[in-house]
Structures are given as structure tokens and as C-alpha cells.
Amino acid sequence: MLKARAFATSVAGWTEWIGTRVAAWAIFVAVLGGLTPGPRSHRAVAASPPLTIGFIYVGPKSDYGYNQAHAQGAAVIAKLPGVKIREEEMVPETSAVQKTMESMINLDGATVLFPTSFGYFDPHILKEAAKYKNVTFLHCGGLYTEGKHPTNVGSYFGYIDEAQYVAGIVAGMSTKSNKLGFIAAKAIPQVLRNINSYTLGARSVNPKATTTVIFTGDWSMPVKEAEAANSLIDQGIDVLTMHVDSPKVIVETAERRGIMVTGYHANQAALAPKGYLTGAEWNWGKVYTDYVGMIQAGKPYPHLLRGGLKEGFVKVSPYGKMVSAAAKKKADAAKAKFMDGKMVVYKGPLKDNTGKVVIAAGVEQKQTDIALEKMDYLVEGVVGKTH
Amino acid sequence: MGAQTGGGGVSAAAGVALGMVGGAIRISTPFLFVSLGECITEKSGRVNLGLEGTLVMGAMAAYGVSYLTSSPWLGVLAAGGCGVVLGALHGWLCARPRVNDVAVGIALMLFGVGLAFFLGKPLIGPTAPHLPSVSLGWWSASGQVRSALQVNALFVLGLVTTAAVRFVLRKTRWGLVIRTVGESADAARAMGYDIARVRLLATMAGGFLAGVGGSFLSLFYPGSWNEGLSSGQGLMAVALVIFARWDPVRCLLASLLFGGASALGPALQSVGVTSGYYLFNAAPYVLTLAIIVLTSSRDRALLGQPAELRMAR
Amino acid sequence: MGIGVSIGAISPLAEPSAGGAGALVATAEARRAARRKSAEAFAIPSVAILGALILFGIFVALTGRNPLAVYHEMYRGSFGTWFSFQNTLQRAAPLMLTALATALPLRLGLVVLGGEGAMVLGGLAAAAVGVHLHTPMSVKLGMFVVGALVGGAWMAGAGTLRAYRGVNETISTLLLNYIAIALLNHMVEGPLRDPASLNKPSTLPIGDDNMLGNLPGLDVHWGLVFGLAACLLTWFLMQRTTFGFAARMVGGNVRAALLNGLPVRRLIVVATFLGGLGAGLAGAVEVAAIHGTANASLVTGYGYTGVLVAFIARGNPLGVVPVALLLGGIGASGGLLQRVFDLPDATVNVLQGIIFLSILFSDSLYGGRWARKPAVAA
């Protein structure tokens, strides 16, 4: 018992010791906090203030992918007269992005924001837009619903599956094993649409082609992506493509293993000089320039803005050296049809890969068709399941 | 569905198995190096939880040096050097009175990862020269077998290191000193050893190996520098040491097992089995946990555990 | 007894200076020692932070930026304006809760890294339950209770494995984090998916009316109050109750605790459970106040930052509050460093790392040479 007493007292002494330290800490921080003045007025507004535009990225802006495509667009408008841009990268889709938006508005004086990640929209942008009514929020994702969402919000997106369809044609013409591989992050409609368009493009010129899909489950997970690429290549796949945030690792792996690859988001030709066939790229510079022009002129801007190859929202990477003349011809023909607005990718009869008819004969689903936004199937010719 | 998987059940199963073998070798190497490094450190009675930071720092340094000098092996050395410096920082701090080694490890993890991301920003874009690989599958006509046995030079080096660490710890005087310090600081002190110095050196050696493990990530597989590169592999590797019970050979086996399990999800999907991929991807963690639970015992310490160790009780 | 060697006898916390026991004898000598300790307790952390700021200043200067300008912006971004201060508070709130998941078991000598997993599953469970309740009050109450309980149970699992099978809790909680995140993704994209959540797979939304709002007059949600209250409660529990006393005794010396007949195993399970409650609640608050639904955005890293907070605060629940504020403030100022100085986002991690290392170094300065009393036994 004596021993326990001694022990107890030493514990007591110790906690007292800890306690004083913590109190000191609390004082230290309180002093910091006490220095905090009340609300401060905005910085003085200059005579003709530049338009301050904030860009927010979910990943690094040099990722050779999703974020780089947006950062390239931002770089284009940074050169416009009367425009100042502020950029912040690696902002997660949590309350952190709300605070980043507020910080750009309150501390940088931004009046136009481009929060570029899909997941920023609901609830983050919606909440901030309701709070800051004289700031314009332009979001990448094409999610705006008239009447439901605040009027100071716009949402834009590109029909990148058109470029994927063309890339699929090139892949279908180039493959020797008739096995294509697709490494995708998640089984969501946007991704499934790319997989399906790619496969439909490939099979339009090569009915024997199949696309094997691997879902990594993460938007950016290089080790898993590399492992997926190797697994696919081990199964005899000779053309790879992907829908992940940063295609760099996959493109490099394909090049190293000596197979062909088509890119995504941005142009990755520099990473695979031998095997890069083509790719589906964004062209945000054009979209952003248009938006800024409208805002600077004080004109109303479209709340829901979408376009494909024809509108210049997306583009197809220049063909690589190994793309045959025949492949180029077929791809260019499809591209021309998209540019005319005559091409319809999704038309019946279309079966999914379990044999179920998903689009009945005679039905055409144009790019604006709402049904395509809810895609939950993989078309015939795709190896894999959506869940 | 069956028709689309191509070769049918048997060859699909063989493909998955081969994929897992290849994956085990590809994925296990950084785990192997980090766990061997931590094994040395922990044998001396100290825990360095900060090897995640060392791993990432090593990956960045290796990529940068390889890019600047066009010599990937110089990159590997630079990675090891970074590990030595971080290890020395850990050893020095922990040698001071009342400084806790677990906390220092966590601090170094944060610091190492932060510094690597900070300095590595300009390296995300460029492509650096890679480490060579060794073809062990020349005897086979099958492309799959050959690619599965396309083994990285660092993996081979890892096998040699495993044997070397085992030999040093078991058969040499240095090994004896390390183990003595780890088993009983009092005994070691009585024998006239400078405990702080032994632990410092053991932590530096551990840091070197962890840094080399990082160079594998950026210079071979996945073979690129970016901020998602590690996803906690350094931390997992430290955990695997306890799993491997402080035995270098078991570190190798644990790393291979973990790597093979990590390859299960992608390998299954590549033959068309995609349902529940999140759960398959969690297989290595579930498997590790299950084995630890099964091999743990209520009443006694783990075999081979250094008695001076704070964390690994 | 059995448990003997399998539970380490050494607390991961710094050993108390021997003066702690001596101070009980009320002599002038002891009073002076106590005064010196108070002075140290204030001076040393301050010097540690100052030293860290100087080191970081040199680091920033090496990149060609003016450190004073950088500090000015950091101050502006974290505490310098009313908006910034609220930003800091909002960021600190979840850290207070997740830190408890590590801080509480730390007092027993356990190193738990599992706050992330407990938070993620707490959020998932809260969202799953929330949609089945109807009045705003019951939704919130149900979410908090269920979220906290699930977090607690998840963590208590690791505690049970530790206590009854000797499974190292550091490794098991780390593994459980990965497993929890896989479970979240599987459920959100599978069984619990709201079919209307197309490109951002999520559970059914709990509804705008049922969301947890802001504190009156502030732009900070109620999670801050939960965090402060939880820290206070935990402090009370640890310092003023028999449970807390017993738990700290286990942390001080397991053998002594066993000799005194303390139920060490049960204490371990309870402590991990209570810690998990905090992380689970953090997840529920994240859903109720921010997202309104559970999805992959719940994987925030707050759990791992919480480990950091707990360790800097050395497991003291009251210490968690200022440390969470400090890290919250650094996080809040990180954006400005990017936008104004074009510094990478990882700059704040470097600063946090330097501060943490500096504070750890300062641990060795207590009872320093300048004031060493003669008869202090080691």
C-alpha cells in the first residue's frame, strides 16, 4: 500500500507539471488570439481595379492531368489585360475549400472563382454562393439546375467522350491483340461514358476489339495505377488508356513495357514518344477566355455551358508517329462528323456487356440527353462490372 | 461474362497467380528495405516511426539526383544519404534526456514528407532515368512469365541485404552489440558500450535502407515522382517489422506476402472480376491484421522482441 | 497476472522530473522549485516555438522570400482578421475531437493511430442513421450518438485485441484505418449509394433542415463547442475521477498498477473506446455540419493530424485545445502562402514539422543546467 501511495503522489506531481505547461500554452495562444482585431474593412479599391480571379485545384497543378489542364487554362487568361489570377492547389473537398473560397474573396478581393474539382460543387460552392451573392462561381462539372441553384453560379463541362471515341478508333485500328485496357478511378457515369465511348469507337472499326477495365477506386493512387497497368499488360493488352487524375504513371509504364497508349486530360506525348497514339484533351483556355470576356463586358453568362469537339471544349492530341494512315483516315472522318454535329455515339440498338438492351433500336441519345448523365452500364465489348 | 474473359477459368487463374507473383516482387521492394532498416533500429531498442518521411524524402532525392545527373544509382545513394541524415536527427534528438522516440518519429514523418513535397514540386513534371531490371524469366517462352520475372536490380539487392542484415545481427560483434543494447541497456552500459552512440548508428543505418527503399518508388515502380507516391507504405513497413518479429528473413516474407496481397485486386480485375474491388484492395491490410491476431498471444511477449523497445510491447 | 511483460512498463510520455515528488514536502526549497518549474513551463515552450519560427524563417529566406513578410501574411491568414480567426477556429474544431482518440489512450501508454478510421466510420454510420430519423433534433441526436458509438466500438476493437491478445495497438489501428476507408468506399458506392448521386457517389442526404448550423453570431459550426466540451470532459475524467487516476497509473507503471489490483485490461478497452467516441463524433459532425451525406470526402486526414495534436499536447486533453488552434491557424494561413508567395502547399507541413521537432527538443531543457538542484536522483 505504501508503494501505491508513493506512486500516486508521483503521478500527482507529474500531472501538476503537465498542467502548468498547458496553462502556459493556453496563455500563449490566448495572447495571439487577443491580438485579433474585429472585422476589418476591405482593402482600398484602386481606381480601375483588375478583375481578380481565383483558381482552386484539388491536386498539384503540374500533374500532367486534370489539374494541369485547368492550370493551363488559368495561364491563358492570366495573360488577358485587366485580369489578375490567384491560384491554390491541393485543396481537399472538405470545409477547407469553403474557407479557401472565402479567403480568396475576403483577403485577395477575388470576384470570380473557378473551383475546378467536380466534388467542390455540392455543398461547398452552393453554400458560398448563397453567402457571397456578388461573387461569380464557375464550376467544372456541368451540374447547374435552373431554379434550384443560386444565380451567381455557372457550371461548365466538355463532352470529352467525343475525343475518347476518336481515340478509341485509333486504338482499335492500332491494336494487334485486339485487347484494349482502361484504368479508371471510379464507376461513376462520367467515367463509364468515357469507357463506353472509347470501346464503341474501337469496335466501330474493329469489331473484335474488347476493353478490359480496372477500377482503382482512387482519383490519384500511382502505385495502384501502375499495378493495374502491369496486370493488364500481363494479360496481353497492347493499348492502354485511363480516366484518373494524373495519367503520368500509366503512360510511362506503358511506354516502358513497350505497348501503345492513348492519353487523357492533357497531352502526354512527351512521356511516351514511342507509344503515344493520341489522346483526349481538355481545352479550358478557350472556355475561360470566353467566360472572362463576358464578365468583363458585363454581359450575362450561360449558367450551364457544355460543348464537345465542335465547340472547341475538348480536342484530340496530335497523332503519334506509329499511327497508320488508315487509322488516321478513319479517326479524321469521325472527327469531321463530330465537327458537323452529325455524329451520335449512343444510338440503338445498344447492348450492355450482360446482353441487356440499354438503348432500343431506333432511339438516339444525343450528347445533351439526360439519360447519358445517368449511365450505369458498360457496353458490349467491355470486360468488367460497374460495381 | 465467361466468354469475354478470354482463355477461360484455368488460364485466368494462372494469370491471376502469375500477376500476384509479379506484383509481389514489384510492390514488396520498398516494404522490404524499410522493414529491414527498422529491424536494425528496433533491435537496438529504439523505434523510428518516421521512416515514412524518410521513404518519401528518399524517393524525391533519388528522382531529383537521377534527373540532374542522369545516373539512377547516384540517385539511390542520395536517397540513402537523406535517410542517414534524417536517421541522425532522430538518433540525436532521442539521445537527449526526456525526449520520446515515438513522438520524434511522428514529427520526422511529418517533416520528411513535408520537405520532400516542398522540394519536389519542380520534379513532378520531368522524367528521370530509371534503374535497370534483371530478366529472370529468360527460360520461359511465355511473355507473361517473362514479364512477371522482370525483376528490379534493387529487389535483388534487397535479397542480398536481407541475408547481410541477418548475418550481421546474428554472427558479428556489431550485431551482438546492437542486440545487447536492445535487450538490456544496463548490461550494455556495464560492458562499456556507449548506448546513445550505438542507437544513433543503428537509426542512421535504418534510415539509409529506408531511403534506398524510397528510391525504388520513384526510380523503378511506379517510377515517377509525385505526391501520392507512398500512400503510407513507410508506416506500413514499420508495422510489418512487428509482424515479422524482428527477423530479417521474416521481413522479406512479410513484404512479399503484403505485396502479393496488394496485387490481388488488380490481377482479378484484369481477368474480369471487378465486383467489390474496394474490398479486394483492402486485402493486404485485412490479411496482415488476421495473421497478427492469430499469431499473437495473450500472455507473453513476442519472440525476438528487444526488451528495451518502448512501442513494441 | 499474466500480462507482465506483454504490456510495456514504460510510458511513452516524458518521465516526470524527480522534483515532482519532492514538491509535496512543503518547504521553501520545494516552493522555489515549483516556481522555477512554472517559469520553465512558460519559457521553454515559448522559446521552442520562437526557435522553430527562426529556423523556418531561415528556410523561407533560403527560397528567396522575405521571412517577415511571410510571417505577416501568415498572421493575417490565421489570427489577423476576424474572418481568419474564424477560419482557424473552424479548422481546429475537428482536430480537437480526433486528437482525443490518440490522447486518451496515450495516458495509458498506448500509441493509437486510428482516429482516421474511427472518424470515417463514425461519419458513415451517422449518415446511414440520419436519413431514417425525422425531426431535426432527433436526426442530429441520433447521428451524434451513433457516430460516436461506432467510432468508439471500432477503436475499442483495437483496444480489446491489445488487452486480451497482446496485439500491438499501433499496427492494428493503422491497419484498421485502411480497412475503414475501404469499407466507406464500398458502402458509399454499393449498398448505401443514393442512386441520385451520380458522379459523386454518396449516401442519401440527411436534408438541409437537419444540418448542424453555425454558432450564433459566428461563421463556425457547433463542432467547435463539441470539441471544447469533449476536451474539458476528458480532462475532468482523467484528473478528477477514479477511472482517470487508475488509467494514469497504468500509463505510469503497469506493474505497479497490476500489483494494486487495477483491472488493466478493462481500463485499456475503456480508454480506447472513449477515445474512439471523440473521433466518431468528429465524423458525425463532419457529415451533419459540412457534407450532409457520407462520401469519399470524409477521408480528410484529420485523424492523422489529430495524432500530431495529441502528441504535441502530450496526451493532455486541455493541451489539445491550444495545439489544435495552433495547427488550425497554420492550416488557415497555408492558402495565403501559396497565393501571395507562390510557396508550395507543403510549406505548412514543413513548418509544423519544425515546430514539433523543436518542442520535442525543448523537452530536454527542463531542469536544465542553469537551475539544476543538487540532490536530484535520476
Side-chain angles (χ1 to χ4, degrees), chain A residues 92-115:
Chain A
E93 293 166 0
T94 62
S95 61
V97 68
Q98 298 179 13
K99 291 300 168 191
T100 291
M101 288 188 254
E102 291 178 11
S103 181
M104 284 177 159
I105 296 165
N106 285 318
L107 303 180
D108 299 349
T111 51
V112 178
L113 292 181
F114 282 92

Side-chain angles (χ1 to χ4, degrees), chain C residues 249-301:
Chain C
M249 195 155 174
V250 175
N253 187 331
V254 175
R255 261 172 250 253
L258 282 167
L259 282 175
N260 282 291
L262 288 176
V264 172
R265 295 180 208 277
R266 227 180 310 144
L267 284 170
I268 288 178
V269 175
V270 172
T272 45
F273 173 76
L274 292 176
L277 288 182
L281 182 61
V285 168
E286 198 65 10
V287 170
I290 310 286
H291 299 291
T293 165
N295 54 42
S297 301
L298 269 180
V299 185
T300 50

Side-chain angles (χ1 to χ4, degrees), chain B:
Chain B
M1 175 77 214
Q4 286 163 358
T5 53
V10 177
S11 85
V16 170
L18 258 180
M20 283 178 68
V21 171
I25 294 172
R26 279 192 293 264
I27 298 173
S28 64
T29 309
F31 290 104
L32 174 61
F33 275 95
V34 178
S35 59
L36 284 177
E38 182 69 9
C39 192
I40 299 174
T41 308
E42 290 192 11
K43 273 287 181 193
S44 80
R46 192 171 274 161
V47 171
N48 184 358
L49 219 51
L51 290 186
E52 170 76 12
T54 311
L55 180 87
V56 176
M57 196 63 200
M60 190 280 298
Y63 201 72
V65 169
S66 171
Y67 171 66
L68 292 174
T69 65
S70 307
S71 163
W73 289 109
L74 272 184
V76 174
L77 269 185
C82 279
V84 169
V85 172
L86 287 174
L89 189 55
H90 185 280
W92 173 70
L93 273 173
C94 291
R96 300 189 57 85
R98 287 179 299 276
V99 176
N100 170 256
D101 56 351
V102 173
V104 172
I106 293 175
L108 275 177
M109 174 161 40
L110 183 77
F111 180 69
V113 172
L115 194 63
F117 287 1
F118 185 100
L119 300 174
K121 274 290 175 208
L123 294 173
I124 297 177
T127 304
H130 271 224
L131 287 166
S133 55
V134 184
S135 302
L136 297 182
W138 41 267
W139 46 269
S140 169
S142 152
Q144 282 188 28
V145 173
R146 265 183 285 152
S147 84
L149 294 179
Q150 190 75 16
V151 172
N152 175 251
L154 269 187
F155 180 73
V156 179
L157 208 60
L159 295 180
V160 175
T161 312
T162 307
V165 170
R166 185 185 148 93
F167 177 79
V168 168
L169 282 179
R170 287 203 174 183
K171 306 278 181 197
T172 65
R173 210 177 71 90
W174 288 0
L176 183 67
V177 173
I178 291 177
R179 281 186 292 134
T180 311
V181 169
E183 286 303 331
S184 167
D186 289 339
R189 212 175 281 125
M191 288 158 76
Y193 294 123
D194 181 346
I195 295 178
R197 189 147 158 266
V198 171
R199 289 184 177 158
L200 174 72
L201 291 175
T203 314
M204 285 164 71
F208 181 84
L209 288 181
V212 170
S215 73
F216 175 88
L217 284 176
S218 61
L219 292 183
F220 189 74
Y221 189 78
S224 188
W225 164 251
N226 62 62
E227 294 175 6
L229 197 57
S230 152
S231 63
Q233 293 179 50
L235 204 52
M236 260 319 297
V238 172
L240 285 183
V241 178
I242 304 169
F243 178 59
R245 303 189 175 180
W246 302 271
D247 180 323
V249 175
R250 285 212 212 95
C251 284
L252 171 67
L253 296 178
S255 303
L256 282 173
L257 182 72
F258 198 82
S262 303
L264 176 66
L268 279 176
Q269 288 199 57
S270 72
V271 297
V273 183
T274 54
S275 302
Y277 51 88
Y278 283 111
L279 302 184
F280 283 124
N281 287 344
Y285 308 106
V286 177
L287 191 67
T288 309
L289 187 61
I291 294 178
I292 293 178
V293 171
L294 290 176
T295 56
S296 292
S297 149
R298 172 183 171 138
D299 291 330
R300 60 189 161 75
L302 295 172
L303 287 171
Q305 166 196 330
E308 288 280 317
L309 216 54
R310 288 186 182 201
M311 185 187 75
R313 290 165 296 255

Side-chain angles (χ1 to χ4, degrees), chain C residues 110-365:
Chain C
L110 302 178
V111 179
V112 161
L113 306 178
E116 188 79 9
M119 176 178 162
V120 159
L121 286 187
L124 178 68
V129 165
V131 292
H132 292 297
L133 300 171
H134 301 293
T135 64
M137 203 56 218
S138 70
V139 170
K140 278 182 219 119
L141 207 66
M143 286 178 72
F144 297 146
V145 169
V146 171
L149 285 178
V150 166
W154 185 253
M155 207 73 107
T160 308
L161 287 177
R162 174 72 181 83
Y164 293 94
R165 275 209 76 93
V167 175
N168 179 279
E169 75 287 350
T170 311
I171 162 170
S172 66
T173 51
L174 179 66
L175 292 164
L176 285 171
N177 283 346
Y178 290 100
I179 296 170
I181 292 170
L183 274 177
L184 168 83
N185 280 318
H186 182 76
M187 298 308 276
V188 162
E189 293 186 26
L192 289 180
R193 181 171 184 171
D194 170 13
S197 67
L198 295 174
N199 283 311
K200 192 176 176 183
S202 307
T203 59
L204 288 162
I206 59 167
D208 288 347
D209 300 339
N210 298 325
M211 296 284 289
L212 183 66
N214 281 344
L215 292 163
L218 288 179
D219 196 14
V220 181
H221 62 67
W222 277 90
L224 179 66
V225 172
F226 293 176
L228 291 171
C231 287
L232 266 176
L233 265 177
T234 312
W235 175 81
F236 184 82
L237 181 77
M238 294 312 283
Q239 301 302 134
R240 296 280 182 269
T241 65
T242 323
F243 167 80
F245 175 73
R248 281 183 284 125
M249 195 155 174
V250 175
N253 187 331
V254 175
R255 261 172 250 253
L258 282 167
L259 282 175
N260 282 291
L262 288 176
V264 172
R265 295 180 208 277
R266 227 180 310 144
L267 284 170
I268 288 178
V269 175
V270 172
T272 45
F273 173 76
L274 292 176
L277 288 182
L281 182 61
V285 168
E286 198 65 10
V287 170
I290 310 286
H291 299 291
T293 165
N295 54 42
S297 301
L298 269 180
V299 185
T300 50
Y302 294 159
Y304 289 109
T305 315
V307 174
L308 193 66
V309 172
F311 265 90
I312 300 184
R314 333 154 146 270
N316 185 310
L318 280 192
V320 161
V321 174
V323 176
L325 280 174
L326 181 75
L327 291 195
I330 292 175
S333 63
L336 270 183
L337 294 187
Q338 281 192 50
R339 272 137 48 202
V340 177
F341 297 102
D342 201 25
L343 283 163
D345 58 286
T347 312
V348 295
N349 300 19
V350 175
L351 174 59
Q352 286 173 355
I354 292 178
I355 289 181
F356 194 1
L357 285 172
S358 175
I359 287 176
L360 287 170
F361 173 80
S362 76
D363 282 348
S364 63
L365 301 180

Side-chain angles (χ1 to χ4, degrees), chain C residues 53-150:
Chain C
L53 292 182
I54 290 172
L55 278 177
F56 180 71
I58 294 171
F59 179 79
V60 167
L62 286 176
T63 69
R65 276 88 169 175
N66 176 358
L68 291 178
V70 168
Y71 282 129
H72 179 253
E73 284 298 322
M74 286 193 74
Y75 177 70
R76 199 165 75 94
S78 54
F79 297 98
T81 73
W82 180 228
F83 158 74
S84 301
F85 187 55
Q86 297 186 89
N87 186 352
T88 297
L89 289 177
Q90 173 107 34
R91 286 173 195 262
L95 300 184
M96 294 177 194
L97 289 171
T98 55
L100 290 179
T102 301
L104 228 154
L106 191 57
R107 300 306 285 275
L108 280 82
L110 302 178
V111 179
V112 161
L113 306 178
E116 188 79 9
M119 176 178 162
V120 159
L121 286 187
L124 178 68
V129 165
V131 292
H132 292 297
L133 300 171
H134 301 293
T135 64
M137 203 56 218
S138 70
V139 170
K140 278 182 219 119
L141 207 66
M143 286 178 72
F144 297 146
V145 169
V146 171
L149 285 178
V150 166

Side-chain angles (χ1 to χ4, degrees), chain A residues 249-271:
Chain A
V249 162
I250 298 172
V251 173
E252 286 176 336
T253 304
E255 179 79 351
R256 215 171 303 136
R257 298 275 311 252
I259 68 155
M260 294 168 279
V261 62
T262 73
Y264 191 60
H265 288 314
N267 188 342
Q268 290 103 18
L271 299 174

